């Protein structure tokens, strides 16, 4: 013990400052530095939060200014152009109405896949479907009439609210000049979304062009047989998408 | 004498002690400054932490308040997103539709029934006309109209597919073209 005391004695003056310095260094390394790191992390989170708050506030302001009945009307207009589900009955009704209007006689309507067992999500989308963001339902209409009537049919079918596309056609004429047209057409449908994304997802208002386009679609006449009115869409309930980042 | 002194201390004990005393003074000063600096830095960091933490908590509560308001508008937001998404879809679908009637009107300038036997439009957007006429003059007139349509940029790449003249002098021919919309 006396030997140890003898060794320590010359260093007695520096021992306390050294311990104090070591303590200060320790507190700095294990206390101050992590605290500063924590402040930076908190600051970053705070900045992120600020961005999210700004987005949410913008969304709330935008949504407060919207009228639900107007939105429902707009959606109804758009779903009458591209329905929410494949409805051969609605397609037939549209074709029938156009045929009546133009005086053509429908010989046959051949629907590609009126009903399949697979759900929409199980069916593989074609590249065109992916590009358009819709499902397609091809069908073939065979009709008869004069050239003018067939011409009118091709014109009218592009001017009705349910958007149908003429993909192919063959028009042949018999001795009496009666035209027989076989028209390959495509119907479109796409379901309504069920999720609304995350809170932090930005919401951009409809542009003037988009508003004008909805108005333009609304002015296109609906060609349906009178017994089958367009059913208003029943959207929702909408929930935030749990898988959205 | 020698026998009484058994060990000799060769260390310059006084010099060493002075050195340690100097170092000790410097170390004391350093440790004091270190302590003061640490307390100062600690206080500063503490204040900064409190400020940042307060801002963070305020923002968390602000976000929660706004989120609650936003949740009240879930249906409206869903409707709006549905409209927004569907406008794009409907526009795209609309853009893929072609005004075939314009081309039918253009072909009517070339030929009409009963000379026109058939019009075929295939998936590659190439249209073909099958025509039956009684004289070569009519064929020449039609060919001139086709060339005029080409010049007007209503059709492109016109091609004569077939030409048959039977013993009665009836000419049957077909030509194809790509419509320009």
């Amino acid at each position: 013990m006396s030997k140890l005391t003898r060794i320590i004695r010359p260093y007695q003056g520096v021992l306390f400052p050294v311990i104090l310095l070591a303590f200060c260094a320790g507190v700095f390394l294990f206390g101050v530095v992590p605290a500063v790191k924590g402040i930076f992390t908190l600051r970053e989170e705070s900045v992120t939060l600020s961005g999210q708050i700004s987005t949410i506030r913008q969304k709330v302001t935008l949504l407060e200014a919207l009228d639900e009945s107007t939105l429902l009307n707009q959606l109804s207009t758009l779903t009458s152009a591209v329905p929410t589900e494949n409805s051969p009955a609605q397609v037939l009704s549209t074709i029938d109405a156009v045929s009546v209007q133009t005086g053509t006689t429908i010989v046959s309507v051949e629907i590609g896949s009126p009903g399949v067992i697979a759900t929409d999500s199980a069916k593989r989308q074609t590249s065109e479907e992916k590009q358009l963001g819709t499902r397609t339902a091809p069908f073939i209409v065979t009709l008869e009439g004069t050239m003018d009537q067939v011409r009118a049919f091709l014109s009218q079918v592009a001017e009705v609210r349910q958007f149908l596309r003429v993909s192919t056609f063959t028009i042949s004429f018999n001795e009496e000049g009666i035209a027989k047209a076989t028209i390959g057409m495509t119907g479109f449908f796409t379901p309504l979304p069920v999720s609304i994304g995350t809170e932090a997802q930005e919401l951009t208002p409809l542009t003037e062009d988009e508003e004008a386009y909805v108005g333009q679609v609304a002015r296109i006449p609906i060609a349906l047989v009178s017994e089958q009115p367009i059913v208003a869409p029943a959207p929702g309930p909408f929930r935030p998408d749990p898988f959205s980042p | 004498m020698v026998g009484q002194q058994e060990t000799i201390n060769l260390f310059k004990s006084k010099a060493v002690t002075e050195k340690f005393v100097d170092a000790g003074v410097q170390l004391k000063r350093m440790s004091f400054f270190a302590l003061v600096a640490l307390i100062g830095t600690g206080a500063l960091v503490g204040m900064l932490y409190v400020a940042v933490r307060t801002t963070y908590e305020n923002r968390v509560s602000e976000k929660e308040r706004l989120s609650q308001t936003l949740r009240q508008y879930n249906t409206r937001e869903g409707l709006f997103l549905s409209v927004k998404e569907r406008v794009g879809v409907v526009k795209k679908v609309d853009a893929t539709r072609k005004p075939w009637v314009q081309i039918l009107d253009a072909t009517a300038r070339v030929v009409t029934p009963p000379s026109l036997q058939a019009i075929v439009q295939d998936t590659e957007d190439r249209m073909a006309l099958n025509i039956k006429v009684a004289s070569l003059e009519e064929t020449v007139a039609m060919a001139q109209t086709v060339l005029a349509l080409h010049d007007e940029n209503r059709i492109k790449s016109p091609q004569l597919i077939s030409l048959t003249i039977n013993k009665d002098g009836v000419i049957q021919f077909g030509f194809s073209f790509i419509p320009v919309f």
Side-chain angles (χ1 to χ4, degrees):
Chain A
M1 185 65 190
S2 62
K3 199 175 178 183
L4 185 70
T5 315
R6 214 170 338 140
I7 294 167
I8 289 171
R9 188 174 296 140
Y11 306 103
Q12 250 177 353
V14 295
L15 201 61
F16 180 70
V18 165
I19 290 170
L20 194 63
L21 273 175
F23 170 76
C24 288
V27 170
F28 185 78
L29 281 177
F30 300 107
V32 176
V33 171
V36 170
K37 275 185 186 169
I39 287 170
F40 276 108
T41 311
L42 212 58
R43 170 99 186 114
E44 276 171 23
E45 281 175 22
S46 201
V47 168
T48 311
L49 269 176
S50 175
Q52 288 174 352
I53 286 167
S54 163
T55 308
I56 298 170
R57 190 173 287 139
Q58 191 193 347
K59 277 171 93 165
V60 169
T61 311
L62 174 69
L63 292 170
E64 273 172 347
L66 293 173
D67 177 38
E68 264 178 50
S69 60
T70 308
L71 286 173
L72 205 57
N73 276 341
Q74 287 177 327
L75 190 59
S76 183
T77 300
L78 294 168
T79 52
S80 57
V82 175
T84 55
E85 56 186 24
N86 187 10
S87 169
Q90 199 174 322
V91 169
L92 287 174
S93 185
T94 304
I95 294 295
D96 195 21
V98 174
S99 164
V100 169
Q101 281 172 17
T102 56
T104 51
T105 310
I106 293 177
V107 177
S108 68
V109 179
E110 193 184 317
I111 295 172
S113 52
V116 286
I117 294 167
T119 59
D120 285 341
S121 54
K123 280 184 274 175
R124 188 174 287 177
Q125 278 190 307
T126 63
S127 59
E128 192 199 22
E129 286 176 331
K130 281 179 191 164
Q131 198 186 341
L132 295 176
T134 63
R135 292 287 187 171
T136 54
F139 60 97
I140 298 167
V141 180
T142 306
L143 50 90
E144 283 181 347
T146 62
M147 180 59 194
D148 285 343
Q149 286 171 334
V150 172
R151 182 200 171 282
F153 181 89
L154 285 170
S155 171
Q156 286 274 330
V157 87
E159 288 166 9
V160 292
R161 184 80 71 78
Q162 183 172 11
F163 284 8
L164 301 170
R165 184 180 65 197
V166 173
S167 309
T168 60
F169 62 85
T170 303
I171 306 169
S172 55
F173 302 91
N174 65 14
E175 296 297 318
E176 290 86 39
I178 297 296
K180 183 179 181 183
T182 305
I183 307 167
M185 301 182 82
T186 309
F188 304 90
F189 66 98
T190 187
L192 290 172
V194 287
S195 61
I196 51 173
T198 59
E199 285 175 346
Q201 230 163 346
E202 276 186 43
L203 216 58
T204 48
L206 286 181
T207 61
E208 276 181 24
D209 278 356
E210 286 170 332
E211 294 263 13
Y213 185 73
V214 177
Q216 193 185 316
V217 174
R219 284 191 291 278
I220 300 173
I222 298 170
L224 282 179
V225 287
S226 56
E227 293 82 23
Q228 198 175 16
I230 286 279
V231 179
F238 298 102
R239 290 191 178 90
D241 186 357
F243 301 107
S244 276
Chain B
M1 282 294 278
V2 175
Q4 286 173 354
Q5 187 98 18
E6 287 181 352
T7 56
I8 303 167
N9 187 1
L10 295 173
F11 287 115
K12 294 177 179 175
S13 60
K14 194 182 175 186
V16 168
T17 309
E18 276 174 6
K19 266 187 186 174
F20 275 116
V21 168
D22 289 348
V25 169
Q26 277 185 357
L27 274 172
K28 267 182 190 164
R29 201 174 292 154
M30 271 173 67
S31 63
F32 174 74
F33 283 123
L35 190 65
V36 169
L38 185 71
I39 291 166
T41 313
L44 201 71
V45 168
M47 283 191 291
L48 208 63
Y49 181 80
V50 169
V52 172
R53 182 89 208 170
T54 310
T55 312
Y56 176 78
E57 278 169 5
N58 284 345
R59 284 180 182 169
V60 167
S61 57
E62 171 77 355
K63 191 192 165 189
E64 187 50 40
R65 190 184 62 77
L66 284 168
S67 297
Q68 268 181 356
T69 314
L70 190 64
R71 275 195 286 276
Q72 290 171 7
Y73 295 121
N74 266 4
T75 308
R76 202 176 289 187
E77 188 182 354
L79 279 170
F80 176 76
L81 286 173
S82 302
V83 170
K84 183 90 181 164
E85 184 190 271
R86 219 164 193 83
V87 171
V89 169
V90 174
K91 259 186 167 179
K92 278 185 197 169
V93 167
D94 200 7
T96 64
R97 304 196 302 164
K98 290 174 181 167
W100 291 109
V101 172
Q102 287 178 14
I103 300 302
L104 286 182
D105 291 345
T107 58
R109 278 172 57 187
V110 180
V111 60
T112 52
S115 298
L116 179 63
Q117 299 283 292
I119 306 169
V120 179
Q121 184 269 311
D122 62 24
T123 47
E124 287 168 5
D125 289 349
R126 198 163 184 94
M127 196 176 250
L129 302 181
N130 290 333
I131 301 163
K132 194 175 173 182
V133 288
S135 68
L136 203 59
E137 286 77 21
E138 279 183 83
T139 312
V140 172
M142 285 174 192
Q144 282 172 343
T145 314
V146 169
L147 290 175
L149 287 173
H150 181 261
D151 292 343
E152 289 167 21
N153 204 28
R154 304 282 297 275
I155 62 168
K156 63 180 181 183
S157 180
Q159 286 173 12
L160 186 67
I161 310 166
S162 63
L163 178 68
T164 314
I165 305 172
N166 67 17
K167 57 185 175 187
D168 305 325
V170 175
I171 301 164
Q172 221 168 348
F173 69 98
F175 78 90
S176 71
F177 56 87
I178 296 170
V180 178
F181 296 101

